[in-house]
Amino acid sequence: YIPPQIRKAEEALDDKKREELGRLKKMVNGLINRLSEPNLSSISGQMEELYMANSRKDMNDTLTDILMNACVTPVAMPTRLLMEHVLLVSILHNNIGIEVGAHFLEAVVKKFDELCKSDAEGKECENLLALIAHLYNFHVVHCLLIFDILKKLVSTFTEKEIELILFLLKNVGFSLRKDDALALKELITEAQRKASTAEKKFQDQTRVRFMLETMLALRNNDMRKIPGYDPEPVERLRKLQRALIHSSGSGKDTQLRVSLESLLSADQVGRWWIVGSSWSGAPMISDTKSQAQQKLPVGKVSSKIMELARKLRMNTDIRRSIFCVLMMSEDFMDAFEKLLK
């Protein structure tokens, strides 16, 4: 039971919070609407001030919502516009903290996975994929995620997926080759195998042939064979990014080395890539059999040690087990072997 006066206070607090969030959304929206390459420096500075003045959760939620509404539309977005939005995220990711980029990346990847399954007619998938590609271009995310997405697209291998593979390779293909040439080679082999088995499935073979030619051009480092490939705009914005990041270094140390599976199951298994991230899900070790194995037989442990463990508040079976192992081991090698078990 909540008394009426407390209820009123809570309602007033909720109204106040809503009002604050509405004001914050208006301010962030105004900054994002004015965003362009020449004024990126002043807008990123103002965004940093907003991060310092407001709760990070509110800022992350607001920024992600506004960017998603601006960039994920049924029509294809101009590449330069997408790049400028992602560049702002990458600057905040480096200057404020990695949870900024991580929050945006998770929202983009989940939306992309959802739209891939739903057979959407518009260009939302391409826009989301472009956002992921530019997050990789500006060193927010590691190539591991890009390879995971490419593997997923190759495994499905329909006409829509072939278009998305081509789109992604055109945007980040040569960077992938530089970062992990072996993984790219394996991907090309898998795509060739899929193409040979799926020959009868497609009426129009030219798209599949074009995709394989693009992949071979990537493998042979031949930029001329990829139509419309122009690395110059990305390089220019990378220079601007280096100028606007406060910390020294290229930003490679803040890259999120996270897989597609981890991002999609973040609500179930927690966000290990964000330091200090809270997690309120069910216990990760839910298998009763594995829990039974963790319990150390009390008979083998002296009651004196168990009493000591209780005094030191070793309040779970696993803590008591580790404490007993450390107290009763003959040397460090013995402790190591027992802890592994």
Side-chain angles (χ1 to χ4, degrees):
Y1 171 72
I2 302 166
Q5 62 267 39
I6 295 175
R7 215 177 306 158
K8 270 183 190 169
E10 281 181 0
E11 280 167 13
L13 204 69
D14 283 351
D15 290 341
K16 194 179 172 188
K17 182 75 178 164
R18 265 198 296 275
E19 201 179 300
E20 275 176 22
L21 283 173
R23 202 180 304 124
L24 184 65
K25 193 171 184 179
K26 223 175 257 183
M27 287 164 81
V28 174
N29 216 348
L31 291 173
I32 297 294
N33 286 341
R34 295 202 307 275
L35 183 67
S36 66
E37 195 181 329
N39 67 6
L40 197 78
S41 173
S42 70
I43 283 180
S44 66
Q46 287 173 67
M47 288 295 284
E48 282 173 40
E49 283 169 21
L50 281 175
Y51 261 99
M52 293 304 160
N54 296 281
S55 121
R56 287 211 179 174
K57 184 189 180 298
D58 291 347
M59 275 302 293
N60 284 342
D61 290 343
T62 306
L63 181 65
T64 300
D65 285 349
I66 288 168
L67 288 176
M68 292 286 274
N69 290 335
C71 299
V72 185
T73 57
V75 292
M77 289 289 286
T79 308
R80 183 165 170 178
L81 192 71
L82 286 175
M83 279 161 68
E84 285 163 358
H85 283 73
V86 174
L87 182 56
L88 176 69
V89 172
S90 79
I91 291 163
L92 295 172
H93 174 83
N94 282 281
N95 291 343
I96 301 292
I98 62 165
E99 61 270 24
V100 181
H103 190 277
F104 180 64
L105 175 72
E106 193 184 320
V108 170
V109 168
K110 283 182 174 174
K111 185 78 176 163
F112 174 70
D113 185 63
E114 186 189 308
L115 286 173
C116 273
K117 288 172 183 169
S118 68
D119 297 327
E121 287 297 310
K123 293 280 182 185
E124 289 101 332
C125 272
E126 279 86 342
N127 290 331
L128 286 161
L129 202 56
L131 286 174
I132 296 168
H134 293 310
L135 283 168
Y136 167 61
N137 273 332
F138 295 121
H139 307 306
V140 174
V141 70
H142 193 264
C143 66
L144 174 72
L145 176 68
I146 308 293
F147 278 119
D148 279 357
I149 290 169
L150 282 167
K151 280 172 195 165
K152 188 185 174 189
L153 294 173
V154 167
S155 67
T156 316
F157 214 74
T158 63
E159 283 174 15
K160 183 187 171 186
E161 266 73 32
I162 288 166
E163 287 296 328
L164 292 174
I165 291 167
L166 277 168
F167 181 79
L168 195 51
L169 290 178
K170 186 179 156 187
N171 276 295
V172 296
F174 287 104
S175 301
L176 289 177
R177 187 182 185 278
K178 201 162 41 176
D179 281 353
D180 196 341
L182 187 66
L184 185 67
K185 195 177 173 184
E186 285 170 7
L187 184 85
I188 292 167
T189 311
E190 178 61 22
Q192 286 170 328
R193 192 181 63 75
K194 275 275 182 187
S196 62
T197 54
E199 265 180 13
K200 296 177 186 72
K201 198 166 79 171
F202 300 110
Q203 279 83 34
D204 181 21
Q205 280 293 307
T206 49
R207 242 21 219 151
V208 181
R209 273 203 298 276
F210 180 59
M211 184 195 71
L212 294 174
E213 281 167 18
T214 304
M215 285 183 158
L216 290 171
L218 278 176
R219 196 177 68 184
N220 301 332
N221 206 16
D222 189 356
M223 295 184 188
R224 294 164 305 166
K225 286 198 176 164
I226 297 177
Y229 176 72
D230 182 16
E232 198 272 327
V234 173
E235 284 304 321
R236 192 178 70 249
L237 288 177
R238 271 189 192 153
K239 274 184 194 166
L240 179 61
Q241 181 195 24
R242 283 194 288 274
L244 294 174
I245 289 173
H246 305 325
S247 58
S248 57
S250 63
K252 291 255 180 181
D253 51 339
T254 57
Q255 271 187 335
L256 297 164
R257 197 187 175 101
V258 56
S259 67
L260 181 65
E261 191 187 347
S262 297
L263 281 166
L264 294 177
S265 59
D267 293 330
Q268 286 80 47
V269 296
R271 295 164 179 81
W272 56 262
W273 53 94
I274 304 173
V275 178
S277 167
S278 63
W279 185 71
S280 56
M284 289 188 211
I285 304 161
S286 58
D287 189 6
T288 48
K289 203 183 285 179
S290 64
Q291 279 184 343
Q293 285 174 352
Q294 283 168 4
K295 287 189 180 180
L296 210 72
V298 180
K300 292 182 183 176
V301 179
S302 72
S303 55
K304 197 176 177 184
I305 294 282
M306 289 308 284
E307 181 60 27
L308 196 59
R310 193 184 62 75
K311 275 183 184 170
L312 292 168
R313 293 181 186 171
M314 302 292 164
N315 50 5
T316 63
D317 287 328
I318 192 80
R319 281 182 186 179
R320 278 194 287 274
S321 305
I322 292 169
F323 175 74
C324 295
V325 163
L326 291 175
M327 293 302 287
M328 295 171 67
S329 298
E330 290 168 23
D331 58 7
F332 72 96
M333 285 306 290
D334 184 37
F336 177 69
E337 291 294 328
K338 283 177 181 171
L339 282 172
L340 277 184
K341 283 175 191 170

